[in-house]
Amino acid sequence: MTVIEMHNVQVAFGDKTVVSGASFQVTQGETFSLIGASGCGKSTLLRVLAGLQREWQGTMSLFGEPVKAGSRYQGALRRNVQMVFQDPWASLHPNHTLYRTLAEPLTIHGEKDVETRVSSALEQVGLPADAARRYPHQLSGGQRQRVAIARALLLQPKILLLDEPTSALDMSVQAEILNLLNRLKQQHGMSYLLVSHDADVIAHMSDRAALMAGGAIARFFDRDALRRGEHRMA
Ligand SMILES: Nc1ncnc2c1ncn2[C@@H]1O[C@H](COP(=O)(O)OP(=O)(O)OP(=O)(O)O)[C@@H](O)[C@H]1O
Ligand SMILES: [Mg+2]
């Protein structure tokens, strides 16, 4: 099943075209990655998919259903597509305990058993249950990124959009988070769209990758091409 389909998607900010025609598909269960120079439009494309950047042209389908530009995600779609940002601070309110941060999306969506769900979310990302009482500044960078991942997973999304999820972390912590992401993907049958500047991360995580250049996709890499390291030369 195709979970993401973009065809000739374009995004402009004022008279500046940032994405000039991106086309690709992601199959259920896949990790598909976007690579390319800084400013080539990777995060913009993720924000389009997340429903955060609502002005775009072209065609896009999620889970086989067409998504209209300008539309606000609602219901199942809003739960099923979640994003993890490069900077975990972006999804954590400095003055809210982790409990409050994690309970919020559940409450908004009218979910039950909020306390149990928050504890199990923390456990899933390898944080102790009593971490719920802490504030973001009382955590390490790796712990904060685990909380951001826990928050994205709370609504049991089918697609996780990962924008440089480990670039702010030490190598050893980075490996832990990447392994955690792979384990969670297996457990929950998710599909990932990953952005990373790190060729090792791309090789370790991806089933396929696409190189963006000048706002369009210049080249695709399959598993074999990634194993041969062809993306490192691109
Ligand atoms: N809201 C916005 N308004 C105006 N310009 C924007 C906006 N968001 C992004 N841009 C511009 O669009 C271009 C693409 O930005 P984007 O963040 O998608 O790049 P990126 O590929 O994610 O880069 P990086 O690898 O550095 O994260 C950049 O030139 C950026 O300045
Ligand atoms: Mg970016």
Side-chain angles (χ1 to χ4, degrees):
M1 188 181 109
T2 303
V3 290
I4 298 175
E5 185 162 8
M6 276 194 163
H7 185 69
N8 199 23
V9 166
Q10 299 161 49
V11 182
F13 297 110
D15 57 8
K16 188 178 166 202
T17 299
V18 166
V19 178
S20 60
S23 305
F24 64 90
Q25 299 185 354
V26 180
T27 305
Q28 206 240 305
E30 223 183 357
T31 296
F32 181 80
S33 300
L34 292 175
I35 58 177
S38 184
C40 71
K42 305 178 297 295
S43 296
T44 302
L45 220 43
L46 253 57
R47 290 171 48 80
V48 168
L49 285 163
L52 300 170
Q53 169 64 39
R54 297 194 194 96
E55 286 187 27
W56 49 271
Q57 292 179 302
T59 53
M60 172 166 85
S61 296
L62 293 170
F63 313 108
E65 299 286 327
V67 176
K68 283 204 185 75
S71 66
R72 235 169 235 283
Y73 287 6
Q74 280 171 343
L77 189 54
R78 206 170 135 205
R79 314 168 57 103
N80 281 334
V81 184
Q82 298 290 327
M83 184 150 166
V84 174
F85 300 88
Q86 170 172 1
D87 175 7
W89 287 108
S91 43
L92 303 178
H93 192 294
N95 301 331
H96 291 178
T97 61
L98 301 190
Y99 182 80
R100 186 164 167 193
T101 292
L102 293 171
E104 189 190 2
L106 294 170
T107 315
I108 289 174
H109 285 266
E111 301 276 323
K112 297 195 176 70
D113 304 321
V114 172
E115 251 174 82
T116 321
R117 299 268 300 269
V118 168
S119 310
S120 89
L122 286 170
E123 192 192 318
Q124 272 193 36
V125 298
L127 288 171
D130 69 0
R133 288 196 302 269
R134 293 189 217 160
Y135 291 88
H137 73 267
Q138 296 171 320
L139 303 174
S140 68
Q143 288 175 322
R144 270 194 295 276
Q145 196 54 297
R146 283 168 192 269
V147 175
I149 292 166
R151 189 171 199 271
L153 290 177
L154 274 170
L155 297 168
Q156 298 169 336
K158 297 200 167 94
I159 296 174
L160 206 53
L161 306 168
L162 299 156
D163 197 352
E164 303 269 8
T166 58
S167 59
L169 307 172
D170 290 346
M171 287 292 277
S172 63
V173 183
Q174 175 170 320
E176 268 174 37
I177 302 279
L178 294 175
N179 292 334
L180 169 69
L181 285 168
N182 278 337
R183 202 164 59 240
L184 292 169
K185 184 180 148 212
Q186 293 295 329
Q187 277 170 13
H188 299 276
M190 289 181 283
S191 311
Y192 285 174
L193 208 163
L194 170 72
V195 169
S196 175
H197 278 109
D198 186 323
D200 292 331
V201 170
I202 295 293
H204 179 64
M205 300 291 287
S206 319
D207 296 303
R208 284 188 307 135
L211 170 70
M212 282 185 78
I217 289 171
R219 192 177 159 189
F220 287 97
F221 302 88
D222 61 15
R223 189 67 232 149
D224 287 336
L226 292 169
R227 205 173 288 128
R228 286 192 297 269
E230 289 176 20
H231 63 295
R232 293 171 195 276
M233 272 83 84

